[in-house]
Each structure stands twice: as structure tokens, then as C-alpha cells.
């Protein structure tokens, strides 16, 4: 086993085109570090939910140039097999470590395979790449990003020509082509031959951002903005300037791209502490709202003043607010969300006589809903211009929520006032998450097995009226690894994360509200129920 491991590592080393990872791997081999080598050579990074994502480093279980070249070659082979020989592949990248290298390698592989490749001019938000695919008539697109993962990670997100992320069976077919590549020496990688795009694609994207706003709407809300050390700042500022909003006040420490994300433990607005600097800036400048993007700017977080201080709105709250705003503006078309998001959007759509769809988790599913007008997912992802960007877009979502805040400001109201109105109209929909990060992935499988073998009959004293194992699929959903429990006045979904080593449990309770005076009691009841559901679910899952 030891000799086999060393020989596999040496074979990988012989092919590695990157001096940095070659040096790293050579040191591990020389030191005979079998534990670390085993971790890196225990398999290959699986091409799945959002393409590839993992920690940077040498070996097939890490993100590196060798893995990316194989992935690009597999994608190229898939595209040629599916009648796209000679087609255009657009490539975008963020500002993480190695992102520019991975983008250039991808362009070289596509060019060597006889496809045309075009690379965005510099690190730009993921939604600009998603827009560029359809704008340029490409057959596929690649975004090199690990979104809001830790600094040591990078990733590789693949879109097809419809401008949305890959779904089965394309992911498995591309994975099979990747597996079929025997040696990197078989993959032609010319030094030139691809195009580096100019700013015209970005200009076209920015021209479209105006379309998400209503003509003549108020543009008065003042914002504090953080780019979370990512690539969102310049594009968001340009979009806000075009729209005529007041210039956002920047969180200077987080405004410019920095792949080490020095001010945050995790560069995700949802993580504890990530928004502290934005809150501090807001306390001194008194804006109407805080806007945050994640590092590749496909997600949008919103915070508001609540009493004496600031608080983050949940993704479900922003999702409902944007939906209600679009309804008020007379939007038509299908509203959609993932199954783990709040059921409030469905109530809003139903009352407005608009069609509504639920999909599996992930924008690759939401973006494919026929006739989509608006889609969102609780993890801060919103698609407000599906004709332009068939993916979540943190720039256009920021514009739309700032328009809504401006409309309410003119009426002497706030986003929280509108949330209160929605609670009185549709019931208080309170959501929470029980999220457990693990080192050992078998703990997640154990928890799922325990819940399947010994399902709970009640949570928080509420009887479970329906239990579905989503691996079997439903009449509306394809199969996925998850469990859904329906309770009297509540709903729980348990699933392994598709992108991180986490078990995620999504909780929602709905408490009827007679009028505005009943809201405090309804909130207290909702908090009590959510706390009890978390406790009972943890016990049932053994986590």
C-alpha cells in the first residue's frame, strides 16, 4: 500500500505543470508523509453540485492546475461529443489564489481541443460570466471561484449554453470524460489562440441592470456596502451610479479583493462576525440599509436597523420582500424557490394569482423553471432578471432591494414594516437552520441513516403529519438525498450540504397573526418552537 501510494504520488508529480504544487508534493514524498499523501490520493475531487470545489494543494483530492486541466479537457470532450465542436466557451474568474492560472489553463485546453475560448478581462462577479454566456452565444461557460468558502479553497463552476449551471445527467457525463483522460501529456495546451474580452460584455451587463428597476421609481435609500474582500465593489458601484442611487458608503477594510480574507473567519455574510465591520460603519453613518456581497458577488445580504442596533435579514426575509415588491410592481410569470426556502413566497404568489414552483436546492434547478420571473434560495441567492442572468445575482438583487427601501422610505416606512404587514397577511413565517460542520463525513451519513431507521414521531410537541424520504423523488421533484417532515404548523428538511462538509437542517414554523398587536407574542411563540425543534431534531439525529 505504502509503495503504491508513493508511486502514484510520483506519477502525479511527473505530470504536474505547476512549480509550486510540484515542490509541495516532492517535500511530502521525501518526508514519507503517508498520512498527508493518503489524504491527497485517497480518490479524486468529485465533479458534482457546482462542478469542483476543494482546498488548494497538490494531488487529485485538492484543487490545482492538474485537476483543472483534466476538468477542462473532460468538459471539452463532452461539448464536442454533443455537437459543439468549434463552439465558444467563456471563462470568468474571481480574485482567489490561483484563479487566474486556472482560467488561463482552461482557455488553453479549450483552444487545444478546437473550441473557441474567451476570457473575461479581469476578476469579475460570477453573474457577469453567467450573463456573458447567453450574450455571446457561447456553448458553455466556466467560472473559477469558491464563492464564500474559506481562503484555502478554490472551485470550478460549469454552465452550459442556456446560461445556467449543469444538472444531471450532464455532470455525470462530464465526470466520465474527465475520468477517461489517461495522462495530462495527452491534453494539448497551446500558449495562445484564445481571446481576452474587453469591457463591452461588462458594459452590456451593466446596461441590463437598469432593467430590474421600475422607470421613475424613487432612488433615495442610502446604503453601506461591503464586498467581503471579493470582486463585487466596482461592478456594484457602477450599477448604483447608473441607477441614480446615492453612492454607497464602503466598508474600506473589505472593499478590495484579497484572497486571504484577513478580516473574516469565513467570507460569508451569514457567518458570525462577518458583518461586524459593516455594522460598525453603519453605526457611524446612519444609512437606510446595509448591503453585502459574498466574494464572487452572486449572493446579496441585507441588514437593517432594528431598534437600537443593526441585524441581518434572513435570506427568506429578503426573498419574501423582493417577491412582494415585484407583485406590487405588477410582475407576471412564475415565482420559484428551493424546497428548503420559506413557504411564504408561495403564499404571496398564490394571493397574487401567480404560478409558483418549488425545486431542489441550488440555482441550477431554480434557473430552469419554465417562464421564471423571480427565483430565490434561502442562502442569500436571488434571481431578479432571469432573461439576463439565469443564476443568482448579488448585484441586481442589491439594486432591487434598495429600490424597495427607497419606495418605503418615501412612505415613511421600512423593510421591517413591510415584513410585519406580510406576517399579518400570511402568518408569521419564521425560519432557522441547524447546521453541523464535521471533520469526518461518515458522521453525516450516520445521522441520515439514524433518521431513516428511527424517524421521530414528533418535534417540539408537534405531531409529524408527513415524512418523505426525498431519495425516492416526489411527483414534482427528482430524487435527492434528503428528508422532509411536515408538522402541524411547521416544516423540517434535513440534507447533507452539496458544497461543504456540513449536515444542514432547515426549519420553518408558521404562526397565525390576528393583527399587528399580536406580532410580539407570535414572534415569541415562533422562537420557542424553533428552539425546541432544534433540540429534538439534534437528539433524533444523534448530532
Amino acid at each position: 500500500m505504502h509503495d503504491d501510494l508513493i508511486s502514484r504520488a510520483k506519477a502525479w508529480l511527473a505530470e504536474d505543470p505547476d512549480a509550486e504544487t510540484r515542490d509541495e508534493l516532492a517535500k511530502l514524498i521525501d518526508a514519507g508523509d503517508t498520512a498527508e499523501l493518503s489524504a491527497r490520493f485517497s480518490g479524486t475531487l468529485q465533479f458534482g453540485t457546482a462542478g469542483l470545489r476543494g482546498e488548494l494543494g497538490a494531488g487529485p483530492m485538492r484543487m490545482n492546475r492538474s485537476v483543472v486541466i483534466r476538468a477542462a479537457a473532460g468538459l471539452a470532450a463532452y461539448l464536442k461529443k454533443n455537437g459543439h465542436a468549434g463552439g465558444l466557451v467563456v471563462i470568468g474568474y474571481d480574485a482567489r489564489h490561483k484563479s487566474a492560472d486556472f482560467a488561463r489553463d482552461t482557455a488553453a485546453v479549450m483552444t487545444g481541443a478546437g473550441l473557441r475560448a474567451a476570457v473575461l478581462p479581469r476578476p469579475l462577479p460570477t453573474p457577469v460570466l453567467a450573463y456573458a454566456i447567453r450574450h455571446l452565444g457561447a456553448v458553455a461557460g466556466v467560472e473559477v471561484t469558491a464563492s464564500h468558502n474559506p481562503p484555502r479553497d478554490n472551485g470550478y463552476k460549469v454552465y452550459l449554453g442556456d446560461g445556467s449551471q449543469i444538472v444531471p445527467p450532464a455532470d455525470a457525463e462530464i465526470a466520465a470524460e474527465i475520468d477517461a483522460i489517461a495522462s495530462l501529456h495527452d491534453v494539448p495546451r497551446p500558449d495562445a489562440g484564445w481571446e481576452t474580452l474587453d469591457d463591452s460584455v461588462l458594459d452590456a451587463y451593466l446596461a441590463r441592470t437598469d432593467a430590474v428597476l421600475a422607470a421613475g421609481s424613487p432612488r433615495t435609500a442610502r446604503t453601506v456596502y461591503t464586498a467581503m474582500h471579493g470582486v463585487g465593489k466596482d461592478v456594484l458601484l457602477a450599477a448604483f451610479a447608473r441607477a441614480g442611487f446615492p453612492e454607497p458608503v464602503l466598508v474600506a477594510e473589505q472593499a478590495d479583493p484579497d484572497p486571504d480574507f484577513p478580516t473574516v473567519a469565513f467570507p460569508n455574510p451569514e457567518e458570525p462576525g462577518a458583518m461586524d465591520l459593516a455594522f460598525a460603519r453603519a453605526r457611524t453613518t446612519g444609512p437606510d440599509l446595509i448591503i453585502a456581497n459574498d466574494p464572487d458577488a452572486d449572493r446579496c445580504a441585507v441588514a437593517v436597523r432594528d431598534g437600537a442596533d443593526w441585524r441581518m435579514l434572513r435570506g427568506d426575509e429578503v426573498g419574501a420582500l423582493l417577491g412582494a415588491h415585484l407583485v406590487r410592481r405588477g410582475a407576471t410569470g412564475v415565482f420559484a424557490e428551493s424546497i428548503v426556502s420559506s413557504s411564504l413566497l408561495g403564499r404571496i404568489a398564490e394571493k397574487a394569482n401567480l404560478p409558483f414552483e418549488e425545486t431542489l436546492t441550488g440555482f441550477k434547478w431554480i434557473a430552469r423553471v419554465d417562464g421564471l420571473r423571480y427565483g430565490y434560495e434561502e442562502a442569500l441567492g436571488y434571481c431578479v432578471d432571469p432573461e439576463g442572468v439565469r443564476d443568482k445575482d448579488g448585484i441586481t438583487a442589491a439594486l432591487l432591494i434598495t429600490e424597495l427601501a427607497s419606495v418605503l422610505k418615501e412612505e415613511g416606512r421600512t423593510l421591517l414594516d413591510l415584513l410585519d404587514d406580510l406576517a399579518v397577511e400570511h402568518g408569521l413565517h419564521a425560519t432557522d437552520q441547524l447546521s453541523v460542520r464535521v471533520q469526518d463525513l461518515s458522521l453525516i451519513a450516520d445521522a441520515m441513516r439514524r433518521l431513516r431507521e428511527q424517524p421521530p414521531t414528533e418535534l417540539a410537541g408537534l405531531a409529524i403529519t408527513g415524512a418523505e424520504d426525498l431519495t425516492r423523488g416526489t411527483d414534482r421533484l427528482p430524487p435527492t438525498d434528503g428528508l422532509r417532515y411536515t408538522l402541524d404548523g411547521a416544516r423540517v428538511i434535513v440534507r447533507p450540504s452539496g458544497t461543504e462538509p456540513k449536515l444542514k437542517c432547515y426549519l420553518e414554523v408558521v404562526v397565525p397573526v390576528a393583527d399587528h398587536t399580536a406580532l410580539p407574542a407570535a414572534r415569541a411563540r415562533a422562537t420557542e418552537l424553533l428552539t425546541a425543534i432544534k433540540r429534538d431534531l439534534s437528539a433524533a439525529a444523534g448530532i
Side-chain angles (χ1 to χ4, degrees):
M1 168 60 201
H2 173 263
D3 292 345
D4 175 51
L5 182 62
I6 296 293
S7 63
R8 276 189 293 145
K10 284 182 171 169
W12 185 274
L13 182 66
E15 287 190 349
D16 192 337
D18 188 327
E20 204 175 315
T21 43
R22 270 203 315 272
D23 183 48
E24 182 187 315
L25 187 53
K27 283 179 177 153
L28 291 174
I29 294 170
D30 291 346
D33 189 341
T34 50
E36 186 60 29
L37 287 169
S38 295
R40 291 162 182 249
F41 285 85
S42 59
T44 55
L45 274 188
Q46 285 308 296
F47 192 86
T49 305
L52 296 166
R53 205 177 279 187
E55 189 180 338
L56 289 163
M61 287 297 287
R62 299 285 183 269
M63 281 297 294
N64 50 62
R65 289 183 59 199
S66 299
V67 162
V68 164
I69 290 164
R70 285 173 182 277
L75 174 60
Y78 166 85
L79 291 170
K80 285 158 71 172
K81 254 186 197 171
N82 283 274
H84 297 304
L88 174 68
V89 178
V90 195
I91 301 146
Y93 58 103
D94 67 11
R96 283 177 178 265
H97 293 297
K98 299 278 183 193
S99 286
D101 295 344
F102 295 168
R104 191 171 53 250
D105 282 332
T106 302
V109 171
M110 295 302 162
T111 305
L115 291 142
R116 290 179 297 129
V119 185
L120 291 179
R122 59 185 168 282
L124 286 166
T126 295
V128 177
L129 181 274
Y131 169 78
I133 294 164
R134 300 180 70 208
H135 178 68
L136 297 172
V139 298
V142 170
E143 176 71 19
V144 180
T145 180
S147 189
H148 56 281
N149 275 39
R152 285 297 306 157
D153 288 8
N154 212 328
Y156 199 80
K157 197 183 274 195
V158 177
Y159 298 76
L160 292 180
D162 61 358
S164 50
Q165 293 174 49
I166 52 168
V167 293
D171 52 0
E173 289 168 16
I174 295 168
E177 297 293 348
I178 295 170
D179 291 343
I181 293 153
S183 163
L184 284 193
H185 301 309
D186 303 337
V187 180
R189 294 201 326 278
D191 292 330
W194 58 89
E195 180 186 359
T196 300
L197 295 164
D198 60 18
D199 274 357
S200 57
V201 170
L202 176 60
D203 293 341
Y205 167 82
L206 284 168
R208 259 207 89 87
T209 60
D210 302 357
V212 307
L213 303 173
S217 63
R219 312 275 164 98
T220 53
R222 293 178 309 110
T223 53
V224 158
Y225 171 71
T226 175
M228 207 64 67
H229 298 297
V231 298
K233 179 192 71 173
D234 292 346
V235 178
L236 182 126
L237 290 180
F240 270 58
R242 287 183 66 102
F245 287 112
E247 186 178 349
V249 173
L250 298 178
V251 178
E253 303 92 328
Q254 299 174 333
D256 295 315
D258 186 333
D260 293 319
F261 305 104
T263 67
V264 289
F266 281 91
N268 176 357
E270 290 183 293
E271 291 282 346
M275 296 288 285
D276 287 357
L277 287 170
F279 291 161
R281 197 84 180 91
R283 288 179 199 118
T284 60
T285 55
D288 298 298
L289 70 166
I290 298 171
I291 300 282
N293 285 138
D294 67 336
D296 67 326
D298 62 351
R299 287 175 168 82
C300 174
V302 180
V304 294
R305 182 184 287 285
D306 189 4
D309 207 1
W310 289 80
R311 81 163 172 97
M312 273 271 291
L313 293 179
R314 291 186 167 279
D316 284 320
E317 292 176 308
V318 177
L321 287 168
L322 291 175
H325 181 46
L326 289 170
V327 164
R328 182 171 167 178
R329 274 182 27 185
T332 56
V334 182
F335 279 29
E337 64 180 2
S338 63
I339 55 170
V340 299
S341 304
S342 167
S343 57
L344 178 53
L345 186 69
R347 305 256 180 120
I348 291 168
E350 186 184 9
K351 183 147 191 197
N353 291 316
L354 290 173
F356 170 75
E357 290 280 340
E358 272 192 324
T359 73
L360 292 184
T361 313
F363 256 84
K364 58 185 184 181
W365 299 109
I366 294 170
R368 284 186 159 70
V369 168
D370 276 344
L372 181 68
R373 173 60 186 88
Y374 167 61
Y376 98 91
E377 173 158 273
E378 52 66 51
L380 311 183
Y382 314 95
C383 175
V384 301
D385 176 26
E387 285 307 302
V389 175
R390 287 202 184 165
D391 197 7
K392 52 189 178 294
D393 182 346
I395 306 292
T396 47
L399 287 171
L400 195 62
I401 197 73
T402 309
E403 177 184 62
L404 172 57
S406 301
V407 169
L408 292 166
K409 186 178 181 178
E410 301 299 298
E411 298 169 357
R413 286 155 41 82
T414 67
L415 294 172
L416 291 181
D417 293 328
L418 179 52
L419 282 172
D420 286 351
D421 292 350
L422 292 172
V424 172
E425 191 175 353
H426 303 288
L428 176 71
H429 289 62
T431 55
D432 204 353
Q433 224 188 86
L434 174 63
S435 183
V436 185
R437 186 181 285 273
V438 298
Q439 290 295 314
D440 177 359
L441 285 175
S442 70
L443 296 173
I444 292 178
D446 290 347
M448 294 298 288
R449 190 177 63 246
R450 192 176 286 116
L451 288 170
R452 286 189 169 105
E453 288 171 2
Q454 300 166 312
T457 54
E458 62 165 43
L459 296 168
L462 303 176
I464 291 177
T465 55
E468 295 166 279
D469 188 339
L470 299 175
T471 46
R472 302 192 182 103
T474 72
D475 54 348
R476 307 301 302 266
L477 298 168
T480 186
D481 186 10
L483 298 164
R484 176 160 61 180
Y485 302 114
T486 307
L487 298 89
D488 190 15
R491 182 219 64 197
V492 173
I493 292 175
V494 184
R495 60 180 278 274
S497 167
T499 52
E500 297 174 275
K502 281 182 174 179
L503 181 70
K504 291 187 160 183
C505 311
Y506 303 84
L507 325 174
E508 179 177 45
V509 299
V510 183
V511 181
V513 184
D515 55 34
H516 281 77
T517 62
L519 276 167
R523 285 207 176 88
R525 173 67 178 148
T527 303
E528 180 191 320
L529 282 171
L530 287 169
T531 305
I533 290 173
K534 271 190 190 179
R535 180 196 65 221
D536 294 355
L537 189 60
S538 292
I543 50 173

